[in-house]
């Protein structure tokens, strides 16, 4: 760890600008979920909530005008909760109103999260007509037994039907969320889940390990999960299956066919900028004068829908920027352009040279004259690597 406060800042080059929209309601809360979501209790105030989302965005456009002016939206991600509980008509209205406030790039990626049980064919078509060109489906497993243990409200047949429809729609892309390391899951069961997903040929697959998070039902009543050796076997053999099927791992838990990486998530991990509206949403914006701001919105719908949008805002201190940058960038497996570090943090490479030299000696990184690249060793000891970039 080192001291960065004396380092001279230079101007920041503005990265792509994305927008995250949080819709907090779902049919029921899953026992593993620690996201800001609330089980649906009767009527969901769709129109009222959308009115607040747009008011929230207008406030941000005024508050952060010097960062946002003359920029276009690179991507939009509508997450939750279960955004597909909202009607296609209301999603259409929301997107049209946003476009009136801030222009879209010509090839903007617009993703909407959906559950197979709420994403019927009719709704899919409506979302596409509204401008959504990418769907992310929370499948999690193709085993009805595992789905029940995870508290999911769909079954394997519904999941496969939704995927088949997505594959034959005019969507640019779609993603399947799939978990491994499930309660009492064997290696064979985990690989069978993955094989069934591969056979459905999604352009993008998020394949991640179930972890027990604080303040969830699983934290209070922990299920029996595979041990570390079993988890390693699942990952190693699953990774081989995916690679053989033509999927490239480009992020810790994300695999895609060539050209189908999620542009929105890439912007997160490349230390890009993103507006954020909705309950508990988190955003980050850069300014050409050298400031970088992070902010978050009020978590609970009651407070948010009283018009109390902004919860917290803070400038990222110079001393914390190397850690913030590499914490994001080392999630991606692509090389880190050294120049991008300078452009996006306002710091010279010399600010982190001591840490880079240490990481090279430990074989956590390799480098060329233009790039730094995390190694297999670095991935295994990622926490130790990142800790080195923390300020004293």
């Amino acid at each position: 760890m080192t001291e960065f406060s004396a380092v001279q800042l230079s101007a920041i080059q503005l990265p792509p600008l994305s927008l995250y929209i949080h819709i907090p309601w779902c049919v029921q809360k899953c026992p593993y979920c620690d996201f800001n979501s609330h089980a649906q209790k009767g009527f969901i105030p769709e129109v009222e909530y959308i009115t607040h989302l747009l008011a929230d965005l207008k406030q941000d456009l005024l508050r952060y005008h010097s960062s946002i002016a003359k920029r276009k939206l690179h991507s939009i991600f509508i997450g939750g909760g279960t955004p597909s509980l909202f009607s296609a008509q209301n999603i259409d209205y929301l997107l049209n109103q946003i476009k009136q406030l801030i222009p879209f790039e010509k090839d903007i990626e617009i993703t909407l999260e959906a559950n197979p049980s709420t994403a019927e064919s009719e709704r899919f078509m409506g979302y596409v007509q509204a401008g959504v060109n990418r769907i992310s489906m929370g499948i999690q497993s193709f085993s009805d037994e595992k789905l029940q243990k995870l508290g999911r409200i769909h079954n394997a047949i519904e999941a496969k039907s939704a995927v088949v429809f997505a594959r034959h729609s005019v969507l640019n892309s779609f993603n399947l969320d799939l978990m491994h390391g499930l309660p009492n899951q064997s290696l064979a069961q985990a690989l069978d889940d993955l094989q069934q997903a591969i056979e459905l040929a999604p352009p993008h697959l998020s394949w991640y390990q179930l972890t027990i998070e604080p303040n969830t039902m699983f934290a209070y009543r922990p299920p029996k999960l595979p041990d570390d050796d079993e988890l390693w076997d699942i990952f190693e053999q699953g990774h081989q299956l995916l690679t053989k099927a033509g999927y490239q791992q480009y992020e810790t838990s994300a695999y895609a066919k060539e050209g189908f990486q999620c542009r929105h998530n890439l912007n997160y991990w490349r230390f890009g900028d993103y507006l954020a509206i909705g309950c508990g949403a988190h955003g980050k914006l850069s300014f050409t004068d050298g400031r970088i701001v992070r902010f978050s919105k009020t978590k609970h719908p009651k407070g948010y829908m009283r018009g109390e949008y902004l919860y917290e805002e803070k400038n990222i201190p110079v001393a914390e920027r190397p850690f913030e940058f590499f914490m994001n960038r080392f999630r991606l497996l692509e090389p880190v352009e050294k120049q991008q570090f300078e452009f996006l943090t306002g710091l010279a490479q010399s600010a982190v040279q001591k840490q880079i030299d240490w990481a090279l000696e430990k074989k956590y990184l390799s480098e060329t004259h233009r790039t730094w690249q995390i190694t297999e060793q670095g991935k295994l000891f990622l926490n130790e690597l990142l800790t080195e970039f923390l300020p004293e």
Side-chain angles (χ1 to χ4, degrees):
M1 295 188 289
T2 192
E3 178 58 57
F4 296 99
S5 56
V7 175
Q8 182 67 42
L9 268 181
S10 61
I12 285 175
Q13 290 191 10
L14 299 182
L17 178 65
S18 295
L19 169 65
Y20 176 72
I21 303 169
H22 192 76
I23 294 177
W25 292 281
C26 53
V27 174
Q28 66 181 32
K29 187 83 171 176
C30 297
Y32 60 85
C33 178
D34 70 334
F35 293 149
N36 183 31
S37 60
H38 302 266
Q40 175 185 355
K41 293 178 182 175
F43 172 73
I44 295 177
E46 291 185 38
V47 174
E48 185 184 355
Y49 188 69
I50 285 172
T51 300
H52 284 285
L53 288 174
L54 294 169
D56 184 5
L57 180 59
K58 287 173 186 174
Q59 280 194 12
D60 280 356
L61 294 178
L62 286 172
R63 182 182 295 112
Y64 304 121
H65 177 76
S66 61
S67 170
I68 299 163
K70 299 182 181 178
R71 298 171 80 180
K72 293 183 178 181
L73 282 181
H74 169 78
S75 64
I76 297 174
F77 196 103
I78 308 172
T82 306
S84 55
L85 290 174
F86 275 38
S87 71
Q89 181 182 359
N90 282 328
I91 294 295
D92 179 59
Y93 175 77
L94 174 62
L95 291 173
N96 273 315
Q97 291 301 304
I98 291 169
K99 196 171 185 178
Q100 304 305 313
L101 297 172
I102 182 167
F104 292 2
E105 288 182 2
K106 189 176 179 181
D107 61 344
I108 186 171
E109 175 192 87
I110 302 178
T111 301
L112 181 134
E113 285 187 338
N115 281 343
S117 57
T118 56
E120 306 93 351
S121 303
E122 193 177 313
R123 279 183 181 266
F124 266 36
M125 192 59 68
Y127 296 135
V128 171
Q129 290 170 350
V132 171
N133 51 32
R134 186 176 182 275
I135 293 278
S136 180
M137 285 182 277
I139 304 292
Q140 314 312 359
S141 175
F142 292 103
S143 159
D144 286 343
E145 178 211 346
K146 300 301 184 199
L147 287 170
Q148 286 178 5
K149 286 183 179 176
L150 292 172
R152 307 299 290 175
I153 60 172
H154 67 273
N155 60 38
I157 292 173
E158 288 176 315
K160 289 184 178 180
S161 296
V163 175
V164 168
F165 183 84
R167 196 172 68 228
H168 291 98
S169 71
V170 294
L171 290 165
N172 290 352
S173 182
F174 65 92
N175 167 63
L176 303 189
D177 272 353
L178 197 70
M179 285 184 176
H180 63 272
L182 304 181
N184 299 307
Q185 188 179 49
S186 67
L187 172 63
Q189 288 172 331
L191 296 181
D192 181 61
D193 256 356
L194 192 55
Q195 188 60 53
Q196 289 188 65
I198 290 169
E199 287 168 5
L200 291 166
H204 190 285
L205 190 60
S206 297
W207 187 55
Y208 53 96
Q209 181 186 323
L210 171 65
T211 54
I212 306 298
E213 302 293 347
N215 303 315
T216 62
M217 287 301 295
F218 275 177
Y220 297 121
R221 292 184 179 179
K224 185 177 185 303
L225 302 183
D227 63 30
D228 288 346
D229 288 339
E230 291 169 319
L231 288 170
W232 177 251
D233 288 341
I234 289 171
F235 171 75
E236 192 173 42
Q237 293 188 39
H239 178 78
Q240 289 172 6
L241 264 182
L242 286 161
T243 303
K244 188 177 177 182
Y247 290 90
Q248 298 173 346
Q249 185 186 21
Y250 70 96
E251 188 263 333
T252 306
S253 57
Y255 292 77
K257 294 290 179 85
E258 189 171 354
F260 287 98
Q261 292 93 338
C262 177
R263 292 177 62 195
H264 187 87
N265 286 344
L266 278 176
N267 195 35
Y268 284 158
W269 309 134
R270 287 172 176 164
F271 208 54
D273 281 355
Y274 42 99
L275 288 159
I277 57 175
C279 299
H282 288 251
K284 172 208 165 244
L285 289 171
S286 308
F287 297 78
T288 52
D289 64 6
R291 287 181 299 137
I292 303 175
V293 171
R294 286 200 183 276
F295 57 93
S296 64
K297 301 300 173 65
T298 299
K299 284 186 74 171
H300 201 280
K302 285 184 179 177
Y304 186 82
M305 292 174 71
R306 286 195 298 263
E308 301 162 6
Y309 306 135
L310 184 64
Y311 174 71
E312 187 176 42
E313 177 188 75
K314 63 171 261 185
N315 283 303
I316 301 178
V318 174
E320 294 177 13
R321 291 186 189 181
F323 176 78
E324 288 256 356
F325 178 84
F326 289 116
M327 178 180 64
N328 286 280
R329 274 314 259 104
F330 286 155
R331 281 195 63 134
L332 290 175
L333 305 187
E334 66 185 19
V336 181
E337 296 279 346
K338 294 177 180 178
Q339 209 170 39
Q340 285 299 301
F341 172 78
E342 296 184 335
F343 289 163
L344 299 179
T345 65
L347 296 168
Q349 291 175 40
S350 58
V352 292
Q353 195 58 56
K354 181 181 174 185
Q355 290 70 35
I356 294 294
D357 289 344
W358 171 87
L360 290 169
E361 187 177 337
K362 298 278 281 187
K363 299 192 173 1
Y364 293 166
L365 294 180
S366 62
E367 78 171 339
T368 69
H369 70 285
R370 289 178 53 251
T371 66
W372 297 304
Q373 173 77 63
I374 190 166
T375 63
E376 291 299 319
Q377 184 85 345
K379 284 185 237 171
L380 289 173
F381 294 94
L382 182 58
N383 286 342
E384 184 184 352
L385 171 60
L386 291 175
T387 299
E388 198 65 19
F389 292 97
L390 282 169
E392 291 177 345

